[in-house]
Amino acid sequence: MIHFNKVTKVFKTDIFTPPFCALDGVDFTVPEGSMVGFLGANGAGKTTSLKIIMDFIRPSSGNVIFDKSLGSSKLEIFKNIGFLPERPYFYPNLTGEEFIHFMGKLSEVPSSQIKHEISVWAPKFKIDYALKRELKTYSKGMLQRVGFLATILHHPKLVILDEPISGLDPIGRKELKDVIVEIQREGKTIFFSSHIVPDVEEICDRVIFLKEGKLIYDGPVNTLLSTNIGQDFLFVLGDTELKDFSTPFKQKVKLPDNFSKYVVAAQDKDKFLNEAIQKNANIISIDSVRPSLEEIFYHTQVSK
Amino acid sequence: MNTNKSLVVALYTFKEILKSKILLNVFFVGLGLMIVTYVATEFTYGVPERVAVDFGLGMLSLSSIAISLFLGVGLLSKEIESRTVYMIISRPIHRYSFIIGKILGLMGIQLVNLVVLSGMILSASYLLGGEVNSLLIWTVGFIFLESLLLLLVVSFVSLLANNVLTVLFSLVILLLGHSIKETQNSLFVQKNPLLNGLLEIYHFVLPAFYKLNLKDFVIYEKSLPLSYLGNSLIYGVVYSTALLFLIIAVFNRKNLD
Ligand SMILES: Nc1ncnc2c1ncn2[C@@H]1O[C@H](COP(=O)(O)OP(=O)(O)O)[C@@H](O)[C@H]1O
Ligand SMILES: [Mg+2]
């Protein structure tokens, strides 16, 4: 859908501060039909990348290549894109309904269809009761919902969202995530940025991971999880106060009621198990410990 | 399709400003205008309808200038600062359609202001026994053109400077544009071909607002030569168009961050 082609962006603010390289040769693709999470801490360069994709700002070098299926001219392509900016701000004196009509008309949706889309989506977003009110009376979450509705009402093939669920309460996040999953099931491509790892881990099948303006990873979530680890195993042994194991283990934690927890490296797993059997240990459970995306996120160093 | 999109932007820009109750101020200006006119005519001997027209046009001109200055300064810059511009230009719309739409929307507000206030002026003048001549209509039309030209100046400067500077700078350009006529007519300048030439160049570089000011004529004359009106009209339209192209060129290249 999108090929972000070796993009570098250098900001030159004024002559007193040195130029700042916000993106350094970043190269990734968003495949059609996928749900891609765009992960990175605050200031990693996510919003800058999305602004370049949307042609709000121009890259210092590199370019953005859109799939032919989106269209060939900029207007054609943008007809097939739904974009929700970070912390969107709206016209305070328009009502929710007027705003949605405004956006719909710009995307060439006929009025009757806009009305229809509102009747379908507004209840799902739980915003139908407020559509006749002026936007200045809306809470942050309500604005986000109205913005989201306006982003998808023209049935875009590609939906780009900048931090759509950050800053919402847990229920709001759950609801929005549900809708994102629902529209992806309709075959849309979704690309959304977030600095909140569990959200990405939960609903995305691919992740693009940015750190300090450099691309760290671009691929399936699962691969990132399984390659980035010496996988550990977790043994819980019961009843007995065991003499020291000769097999090396990483960590031992005493649990209540004489239970003990051992963290064992993958290569020592079989040896440890044998020894436990020999010692007649009461084996309660053995589990593999998969690090969450979050742990990888915080431990990956910029290496390039 | 593209003029269409400009009109969509214009429509909702118009709605947004209309509902911001700023036009309530216009209503109060109008009300104040009628009271002042009434009081003034009570205390003037001879030509009350002239006083009414004089006051009225002054007020109309001032309020149009105020709208162009104080609403114009945020017309584009507020869109950029508050990121609403992202919501719009991420849609299938050219940047120039967005600009034209914003300008049209605010000019719609100007038109409402103009129709309301000039309606009051004309009816006051009529009720006081004055005649509505074509020059009065020209004057009102030129006030509209002046407000467009000023709005374009404000919009252009606002793309390059902050709000306070924009208002100050535009105000200076406006005052200069009105005062160069006197300068040009002064003996000192007329005797000095170099200065005279410089002032001619001024007309091309900065807008010569005085050309659109007919208020001084309207009290004492019934009509002006059509060539003068036509000249001024062409100057205003050509200058505005050129400025609009300049704004679009700058906005097209602008990084919106
Ligand atoms: N217009 C700008 N001028 C200078 N620096 C900028 C500008 N925009 C963004 N930056 C810098 O670029 C970096 C990336 O910002 P951003 O893309 O907003 O990060 P993210 O969205 O991942 O939180 C930040 O360090 C930010 O300060
Ligand atoms: Mg951001």
Side-chain angles (χ1 to χ4, degrees):
Chain A
M1 277 270 137
I2 314 171
H3 180 194
F4 203 64
N5 183 25
K6 300 192 192 70
V7 172
T8 295
K9 177 70 189 178
V10 180
F11 285 114
K12 297 183 196 74
T13 29
D14 53 63
I15 45 170
F16 302 110
T17 42
F20 176 77
C21 184
L23 294 173
D24 184 4
V26 174
D27 196 293
F28 60 78
T29 48
V30 176
E32 186 167 354
S34 58
M35 169 93 81
V36 182
F38 193 20
L39 205 54
N42 282 322
K46 304 180 297 293
T47 299
T48 303
S49 304
L50 298 184
K51 281 179 184 169
I52 289 172
I53 290 175
M54 298 309 295
D55 197 29
F56 300 155
I57 60 177
R58 270 122 215 159
S60 307
S61 70
N63 60 348
V64 180
I65 301 161
F66 291 95
D67 232 41
K68 286 281 173 292
S69 64
L70 286 174
S72 46
S73 72
K74 185 181 162 185
L75 289 205
E76 255 175 61
I77 292 169
F78 275 40
K79 226 173 126 169
N80 287 314
I81 294 182
F83 174 73
L84 183 65
E86 185 177 25
R87 286 174 283 118
Y89 178 88
F90 304 95
Y91 301 94
N93 297 305
L94 296 184
T95 65
E97 194 172 15
E98 283 171 331
F99 173 74
I100 294 167
H101 273 270
F102 184 11
M103 293 299 124
K105 283 181 195 167
L106 286 179
S107 287
E108 299 170 24
V109 184
S111 288
S112 58
Q113 202 195 324
I114 297 176
K115 289 202 185 96
H116 172 73
E117 298 293 339
I118 291 177
S119 69
V120 171
W121 287 104
K124 278 188 195 166
F125 284 112
K126 304 203 171 60
I127 197 72
D128 40 340
Y129 68 96
L131 284 180
K132 299 265 188 242
R133 291 188 211 158
E134 290 180 351
L135 290 170
K136 65 182 165 213
T137 66
Y138 279 35
S139 71
K140 194 177 171 193
M142 290 160 79
L143 285 176
Q144 197 81 354
R145 287 151 199 261
V146 167
F148 205 121
L149 205 168
T151 305
I152 57 171
L153 98 159
H154 54 296
H155 293 277
K157 290 180 185 160
L158 171 64
V159 179
I160 301 174
L161 311 162
D162 198 359
E163 305 265 3
I165 33 196
S166 316
L168 295 181
D169 60 60
I171 297 171
R173 291 164 61 145
K174 169 91 177 62
E175 286 168 0
L176 243 87
K177 272 188 272 188
D178 288 347
V179 179
I180 294 177
V181 170
E182 183 180 337
I183 52 181
Q184 196 241 351
R185 291 225 182 90
E186 290 172 10
K188 310 227 162 12
T189 308
I190 297 183
F191 183 40
F192 77 93
S193 79
S194 177
H195 65 273
I196 300 168
V197 185
D199 290 337
V200 172
E201 190 171 10
E202 188 183 333
I203 60 177
C204 292
D205 40 51
R206 289 180 73 86
V207 57
I208 292 164
F209 181 9
L210 219 53
K211 191 159 187 169
E212 292 161 24
K214 293 191 175 69
L215 182 76
I216 299 294
Y217 180 80
D218 170 15
V221 177
N222 289 332
T223 318
L224 176 65
L225 288 176
S226 57
T227 54
N228 240 290
I229 21 167
Q231 203 169 26
D232 287 344
F233 284 83
L234 189 70
F235 286 75
V236 177
L237 310 180
D239 287 345
T240 35
E241 183 57 39
L242 293 163
K243 277 142 243 95
D244 286 344
F245 275 88
S246 61
T247 316
F249 53 88
K250 288 185 170 173
Q251 198 188 1
K252 175 182 175 181
V253 183
K254 286 226 156 136
L255 301 175
D257 298 331
N258 260 343
F259 288 93
S260 296
K261 190 168 87 176
Y262 293 83
V263 181
V264 180
Q267 73 269 17
D268 298 325
K269 174 193 58 168
D270 294 345
K271 227 173 132 194
F272 189 90
L273 183 60
N274 273 328
E275 196 178 343
I277 292 167
Q278 271 165 26
K279 283 188 153 67
N280 248 334
N282 177 9
I283 300 173
I284 308 290
S285 69
I286 307 172
D287 267 320
S288 68
V289 187
R290 283 161 59 86
S292 69
L293 200 48
E294 191 140 24
E295 287 167 292
I296 298 172
F297 182 67
Y298 285 111
H299 292 128
T300 315
Q301 297 301 314
V302 179
S303 51
K304 285 183 226 173
Chain B
M1 212 66 212
N2 270 312
T3 50
N4 210 342
K5 299 261 175 71
S6 291
L7 291 181
V8 172
V9 174
L11 173 67
Y12 286 94
T13 301
F14 180 80
K15 272 195 186 177
E16 165 72 14
I17 301 177
L18 197 65
K19 290 168 82 180
S20 72
K21 312 212 169 55
I22 201 88
L23 280 195
L24 221 57
N25 297 340
V26 172
F27 177 75
F28 282 119
V29 167
L31 206 68
L33 172 72
M34 295 186 66
I35 293 169
V36 168
T37 312
Y38 177 75
V39 172
T41 50
E42 286 294 295
F43 289 94
T44 326
Y45 297 101
V47 281
E49 77 276 8
R50 281 196 187 161
V51 177
V53 169
D54 198 19
F55 260 120
L57 290 177
M59 285 294 188
L60 173 59
S61 170
L62 268 183
S63 64
S64 311
I65 287 173
I67 291 176
S68 283
L69 267 184
F70 297 112
L71 294 185
V73 67
L75 189 67
L76 301 178
S77 64
K78 224 167 79 196
E79 289 270 350
I80 297 171
E81 271 160 36
S82 59
R83 300 182 301 277
T84 41
V85 66
Y86 294 157
M87 304 287 308
I88 296 178
I89 60 166
S90 59
R91 307 270 158 180
I93 177 174
H94 290 295
R95 284 191 183 190
Y96 64 78
S97 304
F98 166 75
I99 292 278
I100 292 171
K102 292 304 287 184
I103 304 264
L104 279 181
L106 187 49
M107 287 316 285
I109 297 287
Q110 288 281 21
L111 195 63
V112 171
N113 177 47
L114 191 91
V115 166
V116 171
L117 291 188
S118 61
M120 285 178 173
I121 296 166
L122 292 180
S123 39
S125 165
Y126 181 76
L127 290 176
L128 294 169
E131 59 173 289
V132 176
N133 57 31
S134 65
L135 188 56
L136 195 55
I137 308 289
W138 275 97
T139 309
V140 171
F142 272 30
I143 289 178
F144 187 67
L145 192 52
E146 180 188 22
S147 70
L148 171 65
L149 188 51
L150 181 62
L151 173 61
L152 291 168
V153 170
V154 173
S155 301
F156 178 67
V157 179
S158 78
L159 289 179
L160 310 170
N162 69 29
N163 286 352
V164 177
L165 278 181
T166 299
V167 171
L168 285 180
F169 198 67
S170 307
L171 207 55
V172 168
I173 293 179
L174 177 71
L175 294 178
L176 270 180
H178 275 295
S179 63
I180 59 161
K181 184 185 173 194
E182 267 88 73
T183 322
Q184 205 163 20
N185 287 345
S186 77
L187 265 173
F188 177 69
V189 173
Q190 286 191 336
K191 281 190 185 146
N192 189 329
L194 181 69
L195 271 181
N196 220 335
L198 280 178
L199 282 177
E200 282 305 316
I201 295 174
Y202 184 99
H203 288 68
F204 293 99
V205 181
L206 288 171
F209 280 103
Y210 77 86
K211 278 178 175 288
L212 305 178
N213 181 12
L214 303 181
K215 290 191 291 294
D216 298 339
F217 300 112
V218 80
I219 309 296
Y220 305 107
E221 329 252 346
K222 286 207 163 74
S223 65
L224 278 176
L226 216 55
S227 62
Y228 181 86
L229 295 174
N231 254 328
S232 297
L233 180 66
I234 291 173
Y235 177 80
V237 170
V238 169
Y239 200 101
S240 299
T241 313
L243 198 49
L244 180 62
F245 273 105
L246 197 62
I247 293 172
I248 288 170
V250 170
F251 191 70
N252 271 342
R253 274 169 194 73
K254 196 171 169 63
N255 277 328
L256 299 174
D257 52 18

